[in-house]
Amino acid sequence: SHDALTREVDSLVERYENKQRRFEHQVSKLDTENDRLRKKVLSLHENLENSNKDAKNATHRLQVELEHMKQKYSNLSLNQCDLERELKQVRFEHDKAKVEVARLQLLLQESQESKHRTENANTEMKEKLTKAYLSRDAFAKELAVSAKDLGETTALKQVAENE
């Protein structure tokens, strides 16, 4: 009975030691798994932090690019306004030039009409002068004939008086 009790105690101790080893083996496996999971969590945490940094950097770059694009758009809008203003000025100058051309064409037309009137007046004046010269010449001839007749008449009177 003492032997049986010893064998039973030995058997219980052996079972306990086996369970203890299995338990320690399980604890060891759990510690290893726990370390692996802890490392994975740390790695994921580090990756998350890096991703956050990358996202912040990307967001900053996009904001800078957005501001740059806004500035470009603003400059383009200003350039468009300048070009539209210049176009209006060019159109205005073009319209002014068309008005000036029309004014000069009217002046040219008036000048040509005046030239024609002057030429017509000159022609009329030449015709009148020619008539006047012809009349003067005819009158001079008549005057000469009259003077000759008068001279002859005067001479005859003198001859008559002398007699």
Side-chain angles (χ1 to χ4, degrees), residues 67-84:
E67 287 303 315
H68 182 67
M69 295 304 275
K70 283 180 182 177
Q71 188 61 42
K72 272 186 175 178
Y73 178 76
S74 175
N75 290 342
L76 287 174
S77 293
L78 291 175
N79 287 346
Q80 182 181 4
C81 289
D82 289 344
L83 289 173
E84 286 172 354

PDB file of all heavy atoms in Angstrom, residues 67-84:
ATOM      1  N   GLU A  67      -2.295  76.319 -54.731  1.00  0.00           N
ATOM      2  CA  GLU A  67      -2.036  77.760 -54.652  1.00  0.00           C
ATOM      3  C   GLU A  67      -1.328  78.243 -55.917  1.00  0.00           C
ATOM      4  O   GLU A  67      -1.644  79.307 -56.441  1.00  0.00           O
ATOM      5  CB  GLU A  67      -1.187  78.096 -53.404  1.00  0.00           C
ATOM      6  CG  GLU A  67      -1.944  77.986 -52.105  1.00  0.00           C
ATOM      7  CD  GLU A  67      -3.185  78.862 -52.075  1.00  0.00           C
ATOM      8  OE1 GLU A  67      -3.112  80.044 -52.481  1.00  0.00           O
ATOM      9  OE2 GLU A  67      -4.245  78.359 -51.660  1.00  0.00           O
ATOM     10  N   HIS A  68      -0.385  77.433 -56.382  1.00  0.00           N
ATOM     11  CA  HIS A  68       0.332  77.771 -57.619  1.00  0.00           C
ATOM     12  C   HIS A  68      -0.650  77.852 -58.791  1.00  0.00           C
ATOM     13  O   HIS A  68      -0.599  78.792 -59.596  1.00  0.00           O
ATOM     14  CB  HIS A  68       1.415  76.716 -57.872  1.00  0.00           C
ATOM     15  CG  HIS A  68       2.246  76.977 -59.081  1.00  0.00           C
ATOM     16  ND1 HIS A  68       3.111  78.044 -59.169  1.00  0.00           N
ATOM     17  CD2 HIS A  68       2.332  76.303 -60.256  1.00  0.00           C
ATOM     18  CE1 HIS A  68       3.692  78.022 -60.357  1.00  0.00           C
ATOM     19  NE2 HIS A  68       3.240  76.985 -61.035  1.00  0.00           N
ATOM     20  N   MET A  69      -1.548  76.867 -58.886  1.00  0.00           N
ATOM     21  CA  MET A  69      -2.528  76.853 -59.965  1.00  0.00           C
ATOM     22  C   MET A  69      -3.494  78.044 -59.838  1.00  0.00           C
ATOM     23  O   MET A  69      -3.863  78.654 -60.829  1.00  0.00           O
ATOM     24  CB  MET A  69      -3.319  75.537 -59.970  1.00  0.00           C
ATOM     25  CG  MET A  69      -2.476  74.305 -60.270  1.00  0.00           C
ATOM     26  SD  MET A  69      -1.589  74.425 -61.829  1.00  0.00           S
ATOM     27  CE  MET A  69      -2.850  73.849 -62.919  1.00  0.00           C
ATOM     28  N   LYS A  70      -3.884  78.370 -58.583  1.00  0.00           N
ATOM     29  CA  LYS A  70      -4.756  79.526 -58.373  1.00  0.00           C
ATOM     30  C   LYS A  70      -4.063  80.796 -58.854  1.00  0.00           C
ATOM     31  O   LYS A  70      -4.680  81.651 -59.491  1.00  0.00           O
ATOM     32  CB  LYS A  70      -5.119  79.670 -56.892  1.00  0.00           C
ATOM     33  CG  LYS A  70      -6.174  78.711 -56.412  1.00  0.00           C
ATOM     34  CD  LYS A  70      -6.449  78.963 -54.925  1.00  0.00           C
ATOM     35  CE  LYS A  70      -7.463  77.999 -54.352  1.00  0.00           C
ATOM     36  NZ  LYS A  70      -7.654  78.221 -52.899  1.00  0.00           N
ATOM     37  N   GLN A  71      -2.762  80.918 -58.533  1.00  0.00           N
ATOM     38  CA  GLN A  71      -1.995  82.088 -58.956  1.00  0.00           C
ATOM     39  C   GLN A  71      -1.912  82.143 -60.479  1.00  0.00           C
ATOM     40  O   GLN A  71      -2.076  83.209 -61.075  1.00  0.00           O
ATOM     41  CB  GLN A  71      -0.586  82.051 -58.337  1.00  0.00           C
ATOM     42  CG  GLN A  71       0.211  83.314 -58.560  1.00  0.00           C
ATOM     43  CD  GLN A  71      -0.446  84.535 -57.955  1.00  0.00           C
ATOM     44  OE1 GLN A  71      -0.959  84.486 -56.857  1.00  0.00           O
ATOM     45  NE2 GLN A  71      -0.455  85.639 -58.678  1.00  0.00           N
ATOM     46  N   LYS A  72      -1.655  80.971 -61.093  1.00  0.00           N
ATOM     47  CA  LYS A  72      -1.600  80.925 -62.564  1.00  0.00           C
ATOM     48  C   LYS A  72      -2.939  81.353 -63.155  1.00  0.00           C
ATOM     49  O   LYS A  72      -2.989  82.124 -64.110  1.00  0.00           O
ATOM     50  CB  LYS A  72      -1.274  79.510 -63.052  1.00  0.00           C
ATOM     51  CG  LYS A  72       0.183  79.185 -63.175  1.00  0.00           C
ATOM     52  CD  LYS A  72       0.338  77.818 -63.815  1.00  0.00           C
ATOM     53  CE  LYS A  72       1.789  77.494 -64.064  1.00  0.00           C
ATOM     54  NZ  LYS A  72       1.945  76.151 -64.638  1.00  0.00           N
ATOM     55  N   TYR A  73      -4.033  80.823 -62.581  1.00  0.00           N
ATOM     56  CA  TYR A  73      -5.366  81.166 -63.077  1.00  0.00           C
ATOM     57  C   TYR A  73      -5.625  82.657 -62.912  1.00  0.00           C
ATOM     58  O   TYR A  73      -6.148  83.311 -63.815  1.00  0.00           O
ATOM     59  CB  TYR A  73      -6.434  80.354 -62.335  1.00  0.00           C
ATOM     60  CG  TYR A  73      -7.827  80.695 -62.765  1.00  0.00           C
ATOM     61  CD1 TYR A  73      -8.334  80.230 -63.972  1.00  0.00           C
ATOM     62  CD2 TYR A  73      -8.638  81.497 -61.970  1.00  0.00           C
ATOM     63  CE1 TYR A  73      -9.605  80.548 -64.374  1.00  0.00           C
ATOM     64  CE2 TYR A  73      -9.913  81.827 -62.365  1.00  0.00           C
ATOM     65  CZ  TYR A  73     -10.401  81.351 -63.564  1.00  0.00           C
ATOM     66  OH  TYR A  73     -11.665  81.688 -63.954  1.00  0.00           O
ATOM     67  N   SER A  74      -5.223  83.179 -61.752  1.00  0.00           N
ATOM     68  CA  SER A  74      -5.401  84.606 -61.495  1.00  0.00           C
ATOM     69  C   SER A  74      -4.611  85.424 -62.518  1.00  0.00           C
ATOM     70  O   SER A  74      -5.122  86.398 -63.073  1.00  0.00           O
ATOM     71  CB  SER A  74      -4.947  84.932 -60.076  1.00  0.00           C
ATOM     72  OG  SER A  74      -5.009  86.311 -59.848  1.00  0.00           O
ATOM     73  N   ASN A  75      -3.352  84.998 -62.757  1.00  0.00           N
ATOM     74  CA  ASN A  75      -2.532  85.708 -63.743  1.00  0.00           C
ATOM     75  C   ASN A  75      -3.147  85.610 -65.133  1.00  0.00           C
ATOM     76  O   ASN A  75      -3.161  86.586 -65.885  1.00  0.00           O
ATOM     77  CB  ASN A  75      -1.105  85.150 -63.766  1.00  0.00           C
ATOM     78  CG  ASN A  75      -0.332  85.508 -62.515  1.00  0.00           C
ATOM     79  OD1 ASN A  75      -0.701  86.420 -61.776  1.00  0.00           O
ATOM     80  ND2 ASN A  75       0.739  84.789 -62.250  1.00  0.00           N
ATOM     81  N   LEU A  76      -3.652  84.412 -65.473  1.00  0.00           N
ATOM     82  CA  LEU A  76      -4.292  84.243 -66.780  1.00  0.00           C
ATOM     83  C   LEU A  76      -5.529  85.125 -66.889  1.00  0.00           C
ATOM     84  O   LEU A  76      -5.789  85.717 -67.940  1.00  0.00           O
ATOM     85  CB  LEU A  76      -4.658  82.773 -67.016  1.00  0.00           C
ATOM     86  CG  LEU A  76      -3.487  81.834 -67.301  1.00  0.00           C
ATOM     87  CD1 LEU A  76      -3.977  80.391 -67.370  1.00  0.00           C
ATOM     88  CD2 LEU A  76      -2.793  82.200 -68.600  1.00  0.00           C
ATOM     89  N   SER A  77      -6.290  85.216 -65.795  1.00  0.00           N
ATOM     90  CA  SER A  77      -7.475  86.071 -65.800  1.00  0.00           C
ATOM     91  C   SER A  77      -7.067  87.525 -65.999  1.00  0.00           C
ATOM     92  O   SER A  77      -7.700  88.261 -66.758  1.00  0.00           O
ATOM     93  CB  SER A  77      -8.250  85.920 -64.497  1.00  0.00           C
ATOM     94  OG  SER A  77      -8.791  84.630 -64.399  1.00  0.00           O
ATOM     95  N   LEU A  78      -6.002  87.938 -65.294  1.00  0.00           N
ATOM     96  CA  LEU A  78      -5.512  89.313 -65.458  1.00  0.00           C
ATOM     97  C   LEU A  78      -5.034  89.540 -66.888  1.00  0.00           C
ATOM     98  O   LEU A  78      -5.328  90.573 -67.494  1.00  0.00           O
ATOM     99  CB  LEU A  78      -4.380  89.605 -64.466  1.00  0.00           C
ATOM    100  CG  LEU A  78      -4.785  89.690 -62.998  1.00  0.00           C
ATOM    101  CD1 LEU A  78      -3.563  89.870 -62.113  1.00  0.00           C
ATOM    102  CD2 LEU A  78      -5.773  90.830 -62.770  1.00  0.00           C
ATOM    103  N   ASN A  79      -4.281  88.548 -67.417  1.00  0.00           N
ATOM    104  CA  ASN A  79      -3.810  88.671 -68.800  1.00  0.00           C
ATOM    105  C   ASN A  79      -4.982  88.753 -69.762  1.00  0.00           C
ATOM    106  O   ASN A  79      -4.954  89.537 -70.710  1.00  0.00           O
ATOM    107  CB  ASN A  79      -2.915  87.481 -69.179  1.00  0.00           C
ATOM    108  CG  ASN A  79      -1.554  87.541 -68.514  1.00  0.00           C
ATOM    109  OD1 ASN A  79      -1.161  88.574 -67.983  1.00  0.00           O
ATOM    110  ND2 ASN A  79      -0.840  86.441 -68.530  1.00  0.00           N
ATOM    111  N   GLN A  80      -6.012  87.947 -69.511  1.00  0.00           N
ATOM    112  CA  GLN A  80      -7.190  87.973 -70.381  1.00  0.00           C
ATOM    113  C   GLN A  80      -7.850  89.349 -70.304  1.00  0.00           C
ATOM    114  O   GLN A  80      -8.235  89.910 -71.330  1.00  0.00           O
ATOM    115  CB  GLN A  80      -8.179  86.884 -69.978  1.00  0.00           C
ATOM    116  CG  GLN A  80      -9.397  86.839 -70.886  1.00  0.00           C
ATOM    117  CD  GLN A  80     -10.402  85.785 -70.472  1.00  0.00           C
ATOM    118  OE1 GLN A  80     -10.231  85.125 -69.459  1.00  0.00           O
ATOM    119  NE2 GLN A  80     -11.447  85.637 -71.249  1.00  0.00           N
ATOM    120  N   CYS A  81      -7.942  89.907 -69.097  1.00  0.00           N
ATOM    121  CA  CYS A  81      -8.536  91.247 -68.942  1.00  0.00           C
ATOM    122  C   CYS A  81      -7.707  92.279 -69.699  1.00  0.00           C
ATOM    123  O   CYS A  81      -8.254  93.141 -70.387  1.00  0.00           O
ATOM    124  CB  CYS A  81      -8.640  91.630 -67.469  1.00  0.00           C
ATOM    125  SG  CYS A  81      -9.905  90.706 -66.571  1.00  0.00           S
ATOM    126  N   ASP A  82      -6.371  92.183 -69.557  1.00  0.00           N
ATOM    127  CA  ASP A  82      -5.486  93.102 -70.280  1.00  0.00           C
ATOM    128  C   ASP A  82      -5.676  92.966 -71.780  1.00  0.00           C
ATOM    129  O   ASP A  82      -5.766  93.967 -72.500  1.00  0.00           O
ATOM    130  CB  ASP A  82      -4.012  92.848 -69.919  1.00  0.00           C
ATOM    131  CG  ASP A  82      -3.679  93.280 -68.497  1.00  0.00           C
ATOM    132  OD1 ASP A  82      -4.488  94.037 -67.904  1.00  0.00           O
ATOM    133  OD2 ASP A  82      -2.619  92.874 -67.982  1.00  0.00           O
ATOM    134  N   LEU A  83      -5.729  91.718 -72.260  1.00  0.00           N
ATOM    135  CA  LEU A  83      -5.897  91.489 -73.698  1.00  0.00           C
ATOM    136  C   LEU A  83      -7.249  92.007 -74.185  1.00  0.00           C
ATOM    137  O   LEU A  83      -7.335  92.604 -75.264  1.00  0.00           O
ATOM    138  CB  LEU A  83      -5.742  90.003 -74.024  1.00  0.00           C
ATOM    139  CG  LEU A  83      -4.318  89.448 -73.899  1.00  0.00           C
ATOM    140  CD1 LEU A  83      -4.325  87.931 -74.079  1.00  0.00           C
ATOM    141  CD2 LEU A  83      -3.382  90.096 -74.897  1.00  0.00           C
ATOM    142  N   GLU A  84      -8.296  91.784 -73.379  1.00  0.00           N
ATOM    143  CA  GLU A  84      -9.612  92.290 -73.766  1.00  0.00           C
ATOM    144  C   GLU A  84      -9.609  93.814 -73.806  1.00  0.00           C
ATOM    145  O   GLU A  84     -10.183  94.412 -74.720  1.00  0.00           O
ATOM    146  CB  GLU A  84     -10.679  91.780 -72.801  1.00  0.00           C
ATOM    147  CG  GLU A  84     -11.007  90.315 -72.992  1.00  0.00           C
ATOM    148  CD  GLU A  84     -11.929  89.739 -71.911  1.00  0.00           C
ATOM    149  OE1 GLU A  84     -12.241  90.458 -70.930  1.00  0.00           O
ATOM    150  OE2 GLU A  84     -12.311  88.571 -72.051  1.00  0.00           O
TER     151      GLU A  84
END
